[in-house]
Amino acid sequence: MKVLTVVGARPNFMKAASIIAAIRKHNGESQRHGAGEPIEHVLVHTGQHYDALMSDSFFADLNMPAPDVMLGVGSGSHLVQTAEILKKFEAVLLDERPDIVAVVGDVNSTVACALATAKIVFDATGGRPLLAHVESGLRSFDRSMPEEVNRVVTDHISDLLLVTEESGLENLRAEGIPPEKMFFVGNTMIDSLLRFNEKAETSTVLERLGLRPDSNGQCGQALSYALLTLHRPSNVDSRETFLNILEGLGDLARECPIVFPVHPRTQKQIKNFGFGDWLTASGNDGQGHAGNTGVLLIEPLGYLDFLCIMKHAALVITDSGGIQEETTCLGIPCVTVRNNTERPVTVSNGTNIIAGTNKERIQAAIRCQMAGRAQNGKARPPKWDGNAGTRIIEVLIQSFSEISTGATDPAMVAQ
Ligand code: UD1
């Protein structure tokens, strides 16, 4: 069986790392104990993210092999980026002829490679690879988010829908997806977090930035630092919304440093909107050193550095999807500056508050999280146990064997 996994943008790497680790484990057992045929694996990187800081460093941190194929698509409008990937990925499919293509998450690379896989024709019988979507079923119900369109399209053309949380199953059922295509496997991003949690302790990022770990609200200790990430176009491409969020952080910035690893899109907008002065006014010396208090702007961090800084933060403020999940797993209070989440389990079972982008609501959510800080650390959501990658490989092997032995009608796959 030949599996081809696609990565393109930063949040894909930790998900693919879990699948690669599970394939390595399977192949080790196959070699040592003759347990099943080994899996041939091909890793394709579309190049949607291409900087050393947004891409290369993750391969080393996550112990991933270098990609077998690099498409090098780079930046562009969403449509140009998606179209470029579609065109280039067709040639890869025809060359590699995988049995299964695994796409992860909800970025432009995910939908483009899913579409190519669903429409490719290998031979006169219409043969094509099985398409597996890892992180299926999540819905924000906000079609103005590019990722929501990517999720819906990818799910509806996939053969195997690999789901991270129970809401995903409900959403897929409500959209009429046949239940035999759905598999509740757990969360590959959490697999990587649990696998590298200990190693992240060797990171020197706190020393480098002059920060101290949080004491989890004990003995009336002052807050150590908060962590901020922002990159959603709806937040950083609108001057008014971006400013509202920053103003919502004003009180917190007077209490403790807010460390802000800045995504390239956000960096451009800080310059465009002239927010540099606002961000550095209250204590940051602008040289990458935490002064007294204020917002500390730094470059994007690698995986292990980010994990280390996140797990020792007093509070995380974010508009990222994955960070809502990671903070839930770590029991770190999280304030999400969006009006919705496609990951509701992070609110019902986790430590997340959806605050929106209104200044007063952000301030209230921060106060609420700080007041309850010591009580954090609820149980992890079901199947967020480090074994999602293994379950995914089991599903892929089983589904491929059913197709190969004729137990599943290949015409069903094409539906
Ligand atoms: C993409 C994903 C988003 C994910 C995010 C994580 C889509 C629709 N969006 O958004 O779901 O949460 O990645 O980072 O796929 N840039 C660089 N260097 C890079 C990559 C990008 O400078 O290595 C610049 C680009 O030129 C562009 C901006 O950053 O101006 C945004 O990059 P893009 O890939 O378009 O989308 P993201 O906002 O990163």
Side-chain angles (χ1 to χ4, degrees):
M1 182 171 90
K2 183 170 182 178
V3 176
L4 185 155
T5 305
V6 177
V7 291
R10 187 169 60 177
N12 292 160
F13 304 132
M14 34 297 224
K15 297 167 194 169
S18 145
I19 298 171
I20 291 168
I23 291 179
R24 281 180 180 148
K25 188 172 131 215
H26 167 88
N27 287 352
E29 281 162 14
S30 160
Q31 201 177 25
R32 280 191 301 278
H33 312 296
E37 292 295 314
I39 295 171
E40 189 184 345
H41 186 249
V42 179
L43 182 63
V44 176
H45 190 332
T46 64
Q48 178 178 343
H49 285 177
Y50 45 83
D51 282 350
L53 294 176
M54 296 294 287
S55 173
D56 301 357
S57 74
F58 285 79
F59 282 75
D61 277 4
L62 290 158
N63 190 20
M64 283 169 76
D68 300 292
V69 183
M70 287 289 289
L71 301 185
V73 295
S75 296
S77 72
H78 282 227
L79 292 184
V80 166
Q81 200 174 53
T82 307
E84 278 299 311
I85 299 169
L86 250 177
K87 266 199 318 203
K88 293 190 168 181
F89 192 60
E90 178 185 28
V92 176
L93 286 175
L94 291 172
D95 196 33
E96 295 287 345
R97 291 187 163 245
D99 299 304
I100 300 184
V101 172
V103 294
V104 301
D106 56 15
V107 303
N108 290 338
S109 301
T110 312
V111 72
C113 294
L115 200 49
T117 305
K119 288 178 75 74
I120 196 91
V121 176
F122 281 163
D123 52 39
T125 66
R128 64 161 179 84
L130 279 172
L131 174 59
H133 183 205
V134 175
E135 198 185 270
S136 176
L138 298 181
R139 295 289 182 270
S140 65
F141 303 101
D142 173 4
R143 291 274 173 108
S144 69
M145 269 181 95
E147 294 82 2
E148 181 74 352
V149 177
N150 294 346
R151 290 182 199 116
V152 173
V153 172
T154 304
D155 281 342
H156 281 258
I157 57 177
S158 289
D159 305 304
L160 305 171
L161 294 100
L162 303 153
V163 176
T164 52
E165 63 167 83
E166 277 151 340
S167 75
L169 296 172
E170 286 159 30
N171 296 332
L172 294 173
R173 272 186 222 117
E175 291 174 16
I177 303 273
E180 59 273 18
K181 289 186 172 188
M182 303 175 203
F183 303 88
F184 181 25
V185 292
N187 193 324
T188 52
M189 187 171 243
I190 300 303
D191 286 3
S192 288
L193 185 151
L194 296 174
R195 182 168 151 220
F196 291 102
N197 198 8
E198 219 178 289
K199 192 168 176 200
E201 286 302 311
T202 62
S203 159
T204 57
V205 67
L206 299 186
E207 276 162 44
R208 296 198 313 266
L209 296 174
L211 300 166
R212 69 175 167 78
D214 188 57
S215 59
N216 199 20
Q218 283 156 18
C219 311
Q221 283 250 19
L223 298 182
S224 52
Y225 64 90
L227 176 64
L228 170 68
T229 83
L230 293 173
H231 75 278
R232 296 254 154 249
S234 58
N235 281 343
V236 302
D237 290 357
S238 151
R239 188 175 200 282
E240 197 190 335
T241 309
F242 198 167
L243 191 59
N244 232 304
I245 296 172
L246 295 179
E247 286 178 353
L249 301 174
D251 290 347
L252 183 66
R254 278 182 283 279
E255 238 183 276
C256 71
I258 301 178
V259 185
F260 186 9
V262 189
H263 183 284
R265 169 192 291 280
T266 311
Q267 186 69 59
K268 280 181 206 159
Q269 298 300 49
I270 288 173
K271 239 188 224 151
N272 284 346
F273 297 148
F275 286 165
D277 288 346
W278 193 99
L279 281 161
T280 51
S282 49
N284 173 24
D285 68 0
Q287 306 298 310
H289 301 111
N292 307 318
T293 57
V295 180
L296 175 62
L297 297 172
I298 59 172
E299 297 275 323
L301 291 170
Y303 184 72
L304 294 173
D305 282 346
F306 191 82
L307 181 49
C308 180
I309 210 167
M310 177 167 53
K311 65 192 275 199
H312 293 296
L315 171 73
V316 174
I317 303 113
T318 191
D319 61 7
S320 148
I323 293 171
Q324 296 172 53
E325 295 182 337
E326 291 171 328
T327 47
T328 281
C329 180
L330 293 166
I332 304 291
C334 177
V335 171
T336 296
V337 283
R338 283 173 48 189
N339 292 317
N340 51 51
T341 180
E342 60 288 334
R343 293 156 158 96
V345 78
T346 62
V347 178
S348 59
N349 289 38
T351 52
N352 189 18
I353 294 182
I354 306 300
T357 53
N358 167 288
K359 170 178 151 181
E360 285 79 22
R361 280 190 57 202
I362 294 171
Q363 286 166 341
I366 290 173
R367 278 196 301 275
C368 173
Q369 287 289 37
M370 288 301 91
R373 190 159 58 110
Q375 280 92 51
N376 269 314
K378 296 184 199 166
R380 272 184 226 141
K383 299 202 186 182
W384 289 21
D385 58 359
N387 297 316
T390 304
R391 290 188 201 101
I392 288 170
I393 297 309
E394 283 165 7
V395 171
L396 301 191
I397 291 173
Q398 179 66 24
S399 305
F400 179 64
S401 121
E402 284 170 12
I403 293 277
S404 316
T405 57
T408 301
D409 178 359
M412 283 289 293
V413 168
Q415 278 178 7

